[in-house]
Amino acid sequence: MWQRFFLIGLAIILLMVRPIAASDITSAKTAITNLIADNDGLAMLFAEQTIAPIGQDKAYIFVEKDAIRYAIIAVPIKTQINMSQAAEQLCRSRLMAPEAEQVRMSLIAKTDDNRLIKTVLSMWQSSGQVKDAQTTTYKRTDDGAIISICKAASDNISIDFYDVSPAILARAEMMIARQLYDNAAYDNLQSRMQNYINENYTSDAKAYLALAYIKQKQYDEAFALDEKLDHSAILDQWLQAEYQARLDQAIDAYFTTSLKSN
């Protein structure tokens, strides 16, 4: 029955768009509210469900009925960017909403670091799979939104992990370190790795900390750390190669400066 309502809803939505006053075109939440109000099938399907925000300008609503999951996503229309693909990806990801909440609660119990939480959730989201999802996406101009409606069988949702292990947190921390390094945020990288090493004395973290020192020309600190670093224990091959290359450059720069000063 619910599947019938959903399919009817999709057909009606594609044919009917109620004119909306300019004051209604204020948020993605309003767009979903108006959409559901326009369609009896969607109103019945999502009855008593709460529309939730995603960031500052997106929103979604989710429900699971008779082993079928449904989601509606609204994202803003942007002049220079086609947001349809982003809306579809977001919609499919929201079909994993119950598992996402379980992982989020596991994360909150282990850390209050917002950047780490976001990174782990991103890792988790990209590792999950939604098979055979049906998606309909279109522009609702009067609401200033692109709407994506999707559904999938609950059995077609597969998740890599529910509980967040120390190994997952460590992998996420090194991903953050790489992002900071690539963005030349060496102060932040140094501070983050110093704090991380206080509790997790890993070779990869020490290599990133030494790189932060090198990039800021704190050669004495970098060389002192290198003496304690087991190069063969660095797990990330890219990091191992980058570290060795920058260390060699630092040694050359250090001795060149020393010779000039003498």
Side-chain angles (χ1 to χ4, degrees):
M1 181 178 69
W2 292 110
Q3 294 181 41
R4 180 170 60 85
F5 280 131
F6 185 77
L7 294 174
I8 292 172
L10 289 182
I12 294 174
I13 289 162
L14 292 174
L15 295 174
M16 297 176 58
V17 178
R18 175 176 62 87
I20 306 297
S23 59
D24 292 332
I25 310 171
T26 57
S27 68
K29 184 176 180 180
T30 299
I32 294 176
T33 299
N34 292 336
L35 171 67
I36 293 174
D38 284 345
N39 187 275
D40 292 340
L42 292 179
M44 184 178 296
L45 181 62
F46 290 98
E48 301 181 3
Q49 302 304 313
T50 302
I51 299 172
I54 307 174
Q56 298 298 317
D57 58 1
K58 305 175 187 66
Y60 82 101
I61 190 168
F62 167 88
V63 72
E64 186 171 11
K65 299 281 189 180
D66 302 326
I68 303 293
R69 296 185 180 189
Y70 307 88
I72 301 176
I73 290 286
V75 304
I77 295 172
K78 296 187 178 181
T79 305
Q80 303 298 329
I81 304 172
N82 184 349
M83 296 294 289
S84 297
Q85 185 175 1
E88 291 176 0
Q89 291 174 346
L90 269 175
C91 194
R92 286 190 289 271
S93 74
R94 293 297 148 170
L95 293 173
M96 298 187 287
E99 291 83 0
E101 181 61 17
Q102 186 172 341
V103 173
R104 189 180 71 84
M105 294 306 295
S106 175
L107 266 168
I108 291 173
K110 293 177 172 65
T111 179
D112 59 359
D113 185 326
N114 287 331
R115 183 160 189 166
L116 187 60
I117 289 172
K118 289 180 181 178
T119 301
V120 172
L121 285 175
S122 178
M123 288 168 51
W124 174 83
Q125 199 80 63
S126 62
S127 69
Q129 291 186 345
V130 180
K131 296 180 181 178
D132 301 323
Q134 298 179 28
T135 306
T136 296
T137 301
Y138 68 100
K139 185 181 293 185
R140 191 175 171 96
T141 306
D142 288 342
D143 277 330
I146 291 174
I147 296 287
S148 187
I149 307 173
C150 58
K151 72 170 186 174
S154 301
D155 288 344
N156 285 343
I157 310 294
S158 61
I159 307 300
D160 270 9
F161 61 87
Y162 290 88
D163 185 45
V164 179
S165 68
I168 291 170
L169 290 174
R171 183 152 55 100
E173 193 66 56
M174 293 306 100
M175 288 177 64
I176 294 171
R178 175 67 183 273
Q179 292 166 2
L180 291 173
Y181 183 74
D182 287 345
N183 290 313
Y186 304 127
D187 281 340
N188 290 340
L189 176 59
Q190 178 179 325
S191 176
R192 192 169 188 101
M193 289 301 98
Q194 284 172 332
N195 292 334
Y196 184 74
I197 288 170
N198 288 338
E199 297 181 2
N200 306 273
Y201 207 61
T202 68
S203 294
D204 286 45
K206 285 187 283 186
Y208 273 117
L209 178 55
L211 280 171
Y213 285 143
I214 290 170
K215 287 294 185 177
Q216 296 176 105
K217 299 183 179 180
Q218 297 174 248
Y219 297 130
D220 289 335
E221 290 87 343
F223 298 154
L225 185 57
D226 181 67
E227 292 179 0
K228 304 174 184 177
L229 177 59
D230 180 0
H231 292 213
S232 64
I234 299 174
L235 300 177
D236 184 336
Q237 291 185 350
W238 173 88
L239 176 59
Q240 190 175 59
E242 178 71 6
Y243 176 69
Q244 191 58 58
R246 300 298 165 242
L247 180 65
D248 290 344
Q249 290 177 356
I251 292 171
D252 290 342
Y254 181 82
F255 282 107
T256 299
T257 302
S258 298
L259 288 172
K260 287 181 179 179
S261 63
N262 291 326

